[in-house]
């Protein structure tokens, strides 16, 4: 019976130590996490692909960034309609991927 109490006591102490170390590690990891500028894209990061004068153009906010030579009329009707209303991209990478898919 005495051995059982000792084993249980040692087990309890080990559990307390593991819990304390785990809590300290979680706090350390939380401090290491740095928030990004913003999870949601700001207006300056939102790119809009549109149909303008029969060609695909890209705006960032109100600023015209790119005029392509790709004729919208060569695209499927669904893409033409989407470009008529504007397609938003939340990053430069996403915008480039969309352009590549339409202009290739």
């Amino acid at each position: 019976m005495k051995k059982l109490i000792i084993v249980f006591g040692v087990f309890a102490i080990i559990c307390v130590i593991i819990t304390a170390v785990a809590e300290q590690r979680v706090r350390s990891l939380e401090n290491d996490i740095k928030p990004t500028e913003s999870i949601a894209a700001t207006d300056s990061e939102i790119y809009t692909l549109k149909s303008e004068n029969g060609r695909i153009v890209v705006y960032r906010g109100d600023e015209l960034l790119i005029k392509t030579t790709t004729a919208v009329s060569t695209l499927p009707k669904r893409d033409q309609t989407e470009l008529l209303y504007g397609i938003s991209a939340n990053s430069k990478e996403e915008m480039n991927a969309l352009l590549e898919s339409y202009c290739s």
Side-chain angles (χ1 to χ4, degrees):
M1 180 77 173
K2 191 174 182 182
K3 287 183 182 182
L4 183 62
I5 292 173
I6 292 172
V7 170
F8 180 74
V10 170
F11 179 74
I13 291 171
I14 291 172
C15 287
V16 168
I17 292 170
I18 290 173
T19 303
V21 170
E23 274 186 27
Q24 184 178 10
R25 186 160 185 193
V26 166
R27 286 187 191 131
S28 174
L29 289 173
E30 286 174 349
N31 291 337
D32 288 345
I33 297 172
K34 297 176 183 168
T36 57
E37 291 175 14
S38 174
I39 291 177
T42 63
D43 288 341
S44 64
E45 295 173 327
I46 296 176
Y47 298 86
T48 305
L49 284 74
K50 290 178 152 183
S51 169
E52 200 169 272
N53 296 323
R55 305 284 182 207
I56 298 174
V57 295
V58 179
Y59 284 89
R60 182 176 59 203
D62 293 331
E63 176 188 6
L64 177 63
L65 289 181
I66 301 169
K67 287 183 182 180
T68 70
T69 58
T70 302
V72 175
S73 61
T74 63
L75 300 172
K77 291 289 182 195
R78 180 178 178 182
D79 293 341
Q80 291 179 33
T81 303
E82 288 177 350
L83 286 165
L84 186 63
Y85 293 104
I87 300 170
S88 294
N90 293 320
S91 67
K92 189 172 185 176
E93 293 78 16
E94 186 179 343
M95 179 266 299
N96 285 330
L98 285 168
L99 271 180
E100 187 176 315
S101 70
Y102 290 124
C103 297
S104 59

